[in-house]
Amino acid sequence: MLALQGDFREHLRAIEAAGAEAVGIRRPKELDGLDGLIIPGGESTAIDKLARAFELAEPLRERIAEGLPVYGSCAGMILLANDIADPATDLSGAPQQTFGGLDITVRRNAFGRQRESFETDLDFKGLDFSATASGVAPVHAVFIRGPWVERVGPGVEILAQVVPADPEHASHAVPLPGTARIVAVRSGHLLATSFHPEVTGEKRVHELFIRMIRGEA
Ligand SMILES: NC(=O)CC[C@H](N)C(=O)O
């Protein structure tokens, strides 16, 4: 659990509820011996700056490239993306940085600002093979100033999309009803969701990640 900023406490609880042990990571040496890492929701710019300040960013990029399983939710998805369509810039005009690894382009705050946060049910692929042969299962998803994925590269699997139905979402960045937006992806050892399963008591996304770590999914 990258415990620099954001809702890492909620993820710690979700991992433990899913039957695994989790520890908070704040220093490069704490990356040694990890089976996997979760990057929580929060502010991607803050996590980026703190990771650089604590000299974690480079070692983490290396571990991701070496195959460390990582799950990123919301800001964590942004930090795993190779590209950001609209990166925030600091006072010197330098764009925010990501750890990368996922060949996707994300758009930050794509569904709007805090007041446009919303909840919806969506079908998530690969979660629950007892439900359907395809493993597609319904998930109640909470979006809080979330990103969406605008581009997926080869080898990136789309696990869930959202089609904002209610017309109120047509009044800003959210696409007109009927336009599907990618909100969960997987590429090998990397998993990312735009939404926050850790805030709803949903365990299956964390269980999927644990199965990925164990080589069972
Ligand atoms: N809930 C979240 O993690 C919000 C992410 C935030 N909008 C960012 O750009 O980093």
Side-chain angles (χ1 to χ4, degrees):
M1 190 73 248
L2 188 60
L4 298 175
Q5 191 266 348
D7 75 336
F8 54 84
R9 292 175 188 80
E10 287 80 353
H11 275 288
L12 285 170
R13 283 197 288 272
I15 278 286
E16 283 155 8
E21 184 190 338
V23 292
I25 301 295
R26 293 181 179 83
R27 293 287 185 279
K29 65 181 182 338
E30 294 169 340
L31 291 172
D32 296 342
L34 278 190
D35 297 315
L37 183 74
I38 293 181
I39 306 174
E43 279 307 327
S44 53
T45 52
I47 298 171
D48 164 30
K49 286 194 183 83
L50 288 167
R52 282 189 264 164
F54 290 146
E55 298 180 338
L56 251 174
E58 267 321 306
L60 184 46
R61 280 191 190 94
E62 288 164 14
R63 296 294 307 277
I64 291 171
E66 289 162 2
L68 175 72
V70 182
Y71 165 40
S73 71
C74 202
M77 170 185 263
I78 295 165
L79 286 157
L80 279 175
N82 284 352
D83 302 294
I84 304 177
D86 56 340
T89 53
D90 64 17
L91 295 176
S92 70
Q96 69 184 101
Q97 296 179 24
T98 71
F99 305 131
L102 260 182
D103 186 9
I104 61 174
T105 300
V106 296
R107 180 170 298 279
R108 298 176 57 240
N109 304 316
F111 293 101
R113 307 303 300 172
Q114 187 76 30
R115 66 186 175 85
E116 279 104 18
S117 296
F118 67 102
E119 302 185 27
T120 190
D121 292 326
L122 48 76
D123 286 334
F124 195 114
K125 184 180 173 191
L127 270 197
D128 181 353
F129 283 88
S130 60
T132 64
S134 66
V136 175
V139 169
H140 184 73
V142 173
F143 291 81
I144 306 168
R145 294 179 292 110
W148 67 45
V149 178
E150 299 216 327
R151 175 194 65 85
V152 291
V156 177
E157 182 182 11
I158 297 170
L159 300 181
Q161 301 189 60
V162 71
V163 180
D166 39 333
E168 69 171 300
H169 281 155
S171 61
H172 40 76
V174 169
L176 290 173
T179 311
R181 291 296 179 175
I182 300 165
V183 292
V185 295
R186 177 181 178 181
S187 179
H189 60 291
L190 301 177
L191 175 68
T193 61
S194 302
F195 56 91
H196 295 267
E198 73 280 6
V199 303
T200 59
E202 172 59 65
K203 290 193 304 183
R204 291 170 295 170
V205 178
H206 290 77
E207 286 170 345
L208 169 62
F209 182 54
I210 291 165
R211 290 205 309 272
M212 286 168 60
I213 290 173
R214 292 175 177 157
E216 298 165 358

